[in-house]
Amino acid sequence: MRIFLYLSLLIFIAACNSKPAGLPILSKQHEVDGKLVYDTIPSFSFINQDSQIIDKSTVAGKAYITDFFFISCPTICPIMQQNMLSIQNRFLEEDKLLLISHSIDPKRDSVVRLKQYAVNLGAVPDKWHMVTGKKDEIYEIADDYFNLVLEDPTLPDGFDHSGRLILVDQNAHIRAYCNGTDSTAVKAFISSIETFLHDEID
Amino acid sequence: MKLISVLFTTMVFIFLSACDTNPYKHGEIMYQNFCASCHMDDGTGLEGNIPPLAGADYITQHRSNLACIIRYGMQDTISVNGIIYNNAMPGVPQLTDFEIANILNYINHSWGNDYGFVTIDEVRASLEKCKQ
């Protein structure tokens, strides 16, 4: 009997403890003049499937969803990219939201291959950028996006990479992320994007 | 008392496993491990890049090549349900003839597919043709 009392108390507490609206900033912090400030995504310069330069000016005043993949990836990328595709299509009309997928295999994923891949997938030009660039720069920025990318020839992929999808806001802060292969997590991520757009963009 | 609950749990287990009528369980597990990352759990593939296995005309038209595709992979330009695909599929050389047959039977009887039963002899005959 007592257990039920405790249980209902717990449920009650959990129900009261619903989060306030708005997404927190998840970026790491560092100290500047004794004050803590949030890290921002550093500047970058990559090339997309249409040979356009993609840099900070592309995302100025916009939020974007980003991930790391490669075309011939046999493990987690197809499902991540399928989830990116549904995010693109869910927010197609939202011009303040872009998508950027970084190839971690710039040797094989040339601009021409990326173009073919993007067209086949149904990536909308100027909405979803498939980018390549200098390998070191891509691997370094992965770290800023909470993604791990390492070359590891012993793995079936040839790469060790985490499949996170990341929401970056118009101030270059990370606001939400999820495991891009987990459909429940992706659903929650999509509702975070909705909350974010509703609160801060629209 | 204890004995009864043990018996009861056993019965429940037996009932549950009897209800599980999927005869291609092993093929399903192998599919999950080796194919689903690309062709997806529901056999739909990835838009324009990885062809579907669900409702795929290619499967009915190339029945005798399928075992070879699984073992050795393929890099070709193919048309599946009228859409062109040209990415590479890596082979899975470690699968045995039996495992390949089980996977094919799982595919042939899943997601609305009704493409018939593949025998082990059929798989072996196919593999003989593409032996490398």
Side-chain angles (χ1 to χ4, degrees):
Chain A
M1 198 48 216
R2 192 168 257 177
I3 185 95
F4 284 109
L5 264 170
Y6 282 126
L7 252 168
S8 41
L9 196 66
L10 250 167
I11 292 170
F12 194 64
I13 293 173
C16 291
N17 194 17
S18 64
K19 262 200 268 163
L23 296 181
I25 295 177
L26 304 176
S27 303
K28 288 178 209 146
Q29 292 176 304
H30 62 275
E31 228 183 85
V32 177
D33 301 330
K35 267 199 237 144
L36 281 178
V37 297
Y38 287 106
D39 291 358
T40 52
I41 300 298
S43 61
F44 54 82
S45 179
F46 299 124
I47 295 186
N48 77 356
Q49 70 269 33
D50 293 309
S51 305
Q52 295 162 326
I53 292 180
I54 299 304
D55 59 15
K56 285 270 169 151
S57 70
T58 318
V59 294
K62 295 186 179 185
Y64 58 101
I65 313 295
T66 193
D67 73 346
F68 293 80
F69 84 109
F70 60 108
I71 296 173
S72 54
C73 163
T75 52
I76 57 177
C77 317
I79 186 93
M80 280 163 63
Q81 294 295 76
Q82 173 159 296
N83 287 325
M84 285 289 274
L85 180 65
S86 35
I87 292 174
Q88 170 192 264
N89 294 341
R90 165 70 186 76
F91 300 106
L92 211 49
E93 308 297 321
E94 186 59 71
D95 348 311
K96 293 280 172 61
L97 187 76
L98 302 178
L99 296 95
I100 303 179
S101 289
H102 302 76
S103 165
I104 59 167
D105 186 12
K107 216 186 285 169
R108 286 185 288 176
D109 295 352
S110 61
V111 168
V112 175
R113 290 279 290 130
L114 286 175
K115 173 75 181 174
Q116 203 177 37
Y117 174 85
V119 168
N120 291 343
L121 191 59
V124 174
D126 295 324
K127 175 79 178 174
W128 187 358
H129 302 287
M130 308 280 174
V131 303
T132 179
K134 292 217 181 73
K135 199 177 98 188
D136 295 348
E137 291 175 14
I138 293 170
Y139 284 38
E140 254 168 53
I141 207 157
D143 194 48
D144 296 301
Y145 288 122
F146 298 174
N147 264 287
L148 167 86
V149 180
L150 293 170
E151 252 178 315
D152 184 346
T154 64
L155 295 176
D157 267 22
F159 298 93
D160 181 353
H161 55 128
S162 40
R164 282 183 177 164
L165 312 185
I166 311 286
L167 166 64
V168 182
D169 70 12
Q170 62 286 6
N171 302 316
H173 291 140
I174 293 176
R175 303 300 293 275
Y177 61 82
C178 72
N179 173 351
T181 64
D182 174 342
S183 59
T184 330
V186 172
K187 264 197 209 115
F189 182 64
I190 290 176
S191 49
S192 297
I193 301 172
E194 280 164 356
T195 307
F196 166 77
L197 291 172
H198 177 266
D199 290 356
E200 300 182 42
I201 300 274
D202 288 336
Chain B
M1 194 56 203
K2 224 186 199 146
L3 190 69
I4 290 178
S5 61
V6 169
L7 265 172
F8 181 73
T9 328
T10 325
M11 290 299 285
V12 168
F13 262 112
I14 291 173
F15 275 124
L16 280 180
S17 45
C19 289
D20 185 7
T21 50
N22 182 349
Y24 306 107
K25 200 75 199 158
H26 178 249
E28 179 178 9
I29 294 168
M30 302 306 280
Y31 178 85
Q32 292 294 338
N33 288 344
F34 292 100
C35 321
S37 65
C38 285
H39 292 282
M40 307 289 161
D41 287 345
D42 60 0
T44 52
L46 176 64
E47 215 62 50
N49 282 283
I50 298 171
L53 302 176
D57 59 3
Y58 192 93
I59 294 185
T60 54
Q61 292 157 6
H62 298 81
R63 188 176 164 107
S64 64
N65 289 345
L66 303 179
C68 294
I69 295 176
I70 296 176
R71 180 157 293 169
Y72 301 110
M74 73 187 295
Q75 178 150 27
D76 202 351
T77 300
I78 59 171
S79 160
V80 181
N81 299 340
I83 297 172
I84 304 294
Y85 297 87
N86 57 11
N87 285 323
M89 165 171 157
V92 191
Q94 68 266 40
L95 295 176
T96 64
D97 300 357
F98 272 106
E99 288 168 332
I100 291 177
N102 285 346
I103 292 176
L104 286 175
N105 280 313
Y106 171 68
I107 292 171
N108 280 358
H109 298 93
S110 296
W111 320 299
N113 288 358
D114 189 6
Y115 298 158
F117 189 77
V118 181
T119 64
I120 183 72
D121 290 338
E122 214 180 325
V123 166
R124 290 200 165 125
S126 305
L127 290 170
E128 199 52 43
K129 282 188 294 175
C130 59
K131 212 169 182 175
Q132 292 184 359

